[in-house]
Amino acid sequence: MSTPPRHFLDISALTPDELRAILDEAHARKAARIDWPKAAPDQDAPLEGYALAMIFQKNSTRTRVSFEIGMIQLGGVAIVLNANDTQLGRGETVEDTARVLSRMVDAVTIRANAHQDVLQFAAASDVPVINALTDLSHPCQIIADIMTIEERIGDIAGKTVAWLGDGNNVCTSFIHAAEKLDFKLRIATPDTYAPRSQEIAAAKAAGADVEAHNDAQKAVAGADVVVTDTWVSMGDTDKAERMAAFPPFAVNEQMMKHAAKEALFLHCLPAHRGEEVTDAVMDGPQSAVWDEAENRIHAQKAVLMWCLGRL
Ligand code: CP
Ligand code: NVA
């Protein structure tokens, strides 16, 4: 029997040591290529000869470009597949697609509407599968976010991260990370858009210091990091209800004043300026969003190295 592939489906499935190894690799690869041309391969080009297929059922700018450039930097190649242009769009099953791609490439990323599709794809795949965002979670984003926090304020253990807005996929991956890295997570959302109670319960049962309620100022009080995301994620159909519910959770200068004096502001992007965040916060001195976006490259590379057994 060959060894089962190392999938990267959710941070909850990693051990703290595996997560630490991925973060350390991301920091090290970033430090080793400061000011290099973006598509120049890393000195060791560790994935030379390897191919990554990237399936997208939803739009993407950062995830697509960071994985593609990341693969080039690791010495390999990446192939982008818009799901609708493939036979998936005409009804070929995810399992059969996984079996075929397993014969053609060394790893696959999928951005899917339904998390279940990624699980089914992974179960049928002989090569590592990476969750590039689903309705449930966005683990790749959180590797870049933690990396950014560590760069700016050091060890995240013991720090307080406040999440404001929608208890969505990105929020869920933060909950998974809180359990592994011992930071405090304070989530404030409208009651209707609270994170899934089973995620909170599982994190708490694993010892995480996570609170979720509907009081934005309480969540932000003294926080070291304030994070938000769009109020209407890809696939959400209740835009009018959302636009009515979320304004008290907007991150503006007044809200940031409740956080620690030099608290960081993070956003996975794309941002909807004037909705979940103001221009003053996005473009202000506490914002780390452009580092966060760049760090997607370094994070994806580290995830690929882990999946391919190099860490
Ligand atoms: N943050 C993020 O995943 O961005 P994209 O949707 O542009 O990939
Ligand atoms: N929550 C957002 C994240 C986009 C990167 C969405 O799913 O659309």
Side-chain angles (χ1 to χ4, degrees):
M1 278 273 292
S2 56
T3 332
R6 251 187 193 181
H7 302 308
F8 182 83
L9 301 179
D10 266 317
I11 288 175
S12 50
L14 299 175
T15 66
D17 284 351
E18 287 173 319
L19 182 52
R20 187 70 260 154
I22 290 170
L23 287 162
D24 288 350
E25 175 78 0
H27 286 296
R29 287 203 174 266
K30 180 175 184 179
R33 53 172 305 126
I34 292 166
D35 293 335
W36 287 23
K38 308 276 193 304
D42 288 357
Q43 204 152 29
D44 57 347
L47 297 189
E48 192 176 355
Y50 282 72
L52 172 72
M54 300 191 281
I55 301 173
F56 287 97
Q57 288 183 346
K58 302 186 187 196
N59 298 46
S60 173
T61 300
R62 281 143 287 268
T63 305
R64 178 191 161 159
V65 176
S66 57
F67 265 114
E68 192 161 351
I69 282 291
M71 253 333 249
I72 291 168
Q73 292 184 0
L74 291 170
V77 298
I79 299 161
V80 178
L81 301 167
N82 177 343
N84 279 333
D85 296 342
T86 70
Q87 298 291 4
L88 276 170
R90 296 183 58 252
E92 186 168 18
T93 67
V94 291
E95 288 86 352
D96 287 351
T97 307
R99 290 177 189 116
V100 170
L101 289 181
S102 293
R103 300 292 181 98
M104 295 184 172
V105 299
D106 302 290
V108 180
T109 71
I110 317 182
R111 170 164 286 194
N113 294 313
H115 192 76
Q116 185 60 29
D117 281 350
V118 175
L119 299 183
Q120 284 175 224
F121 194 106
S125 176
D126 293 328
V127 300
V129 173
I130 297 170
N131 171 2
L133 181 149
T134 66
D135 56 337
L136 180 72
S137 58
H138 194 5
C140 292
Q141 180 67 51
I142 283 357
I143 302 291
D145 288 12
I146 306 285
M147 184 185 172
T148 308
I149 293 167
E150 290 182 342
E151 281 177 343
R152 294 287 189 113
I153 61 174
D155 190 358
I156 193 171
K159 303 277 190 337
T160 301
V161 175
W163 174 277
L164 293 194
D166 190 10
N168 64 11
N169 45 7
V170 181
C171 178
T172 296
S173 289
F174 256 115
I175 296 169
H176 295 162
E179 164 193 332
K180 306 291 171 184
L181 295 174
D182 294 328
F183 59 90
K184 302 182 181 78
L185 184 58
R186 305 287 176 253
I187 301 166
T189 69
D191 293 334
T192 330
Y193 299 106
R196 297 193 333 163
S197 55
Q198 61 266 50
E199 303 296 343
I200 301 281
K204 283 187 172 168
D209 186 349
V210 177
E211 286 174 9
H213 48 69
N214 61 11
D215 186 337
Q217 289 184 10
K218 182 178 162 195
V220 170
D224 302 292
V225 184
V226 178
V227 197
T228 192
D229 187 12
T230 180
W231 293 339
V232 186
S233 282
M234 294 181 278
D236 288 337
T237 51
D238 52 345
K239 182 169 181 186
E241 290 85 343
R242 287 171 170 273
M243 297 311 283
F246 284 116
F249 300 85
V251 182
N252 50 35
E253 285 175 298
Q254 201 51 42
M255 188 67 83
M256 287 300 287
K257 286 204 175 89
H258 295 284
K261 194 160 174 290
E262 293 183 352
L264 289 185
F265 171 72
L266 295 182
H267 190 312
C268 63
L269 308 180
H272 298 74
R273 290 165 177 261
E275 294 178 12
E276 75 273 8
V277 61
T278 57
D279 285 338
V281 172
M282 267 285 282
D283 301 328
Q286 290 167 267
S287 172
V289 299
W290 313 123
D291 286 351
E292 180 185 8
E294 178 195 326
N295 284 340
R296 294 295 305 279
I297 301 175
H298 312 295
Q300 321 296 35
K301 289 167 69 180
V303 167
L304 285 161
M305 290 291 281
W306 179 78
C307 285
L308 290 165
R310 304 306 184 89
L311 300 185

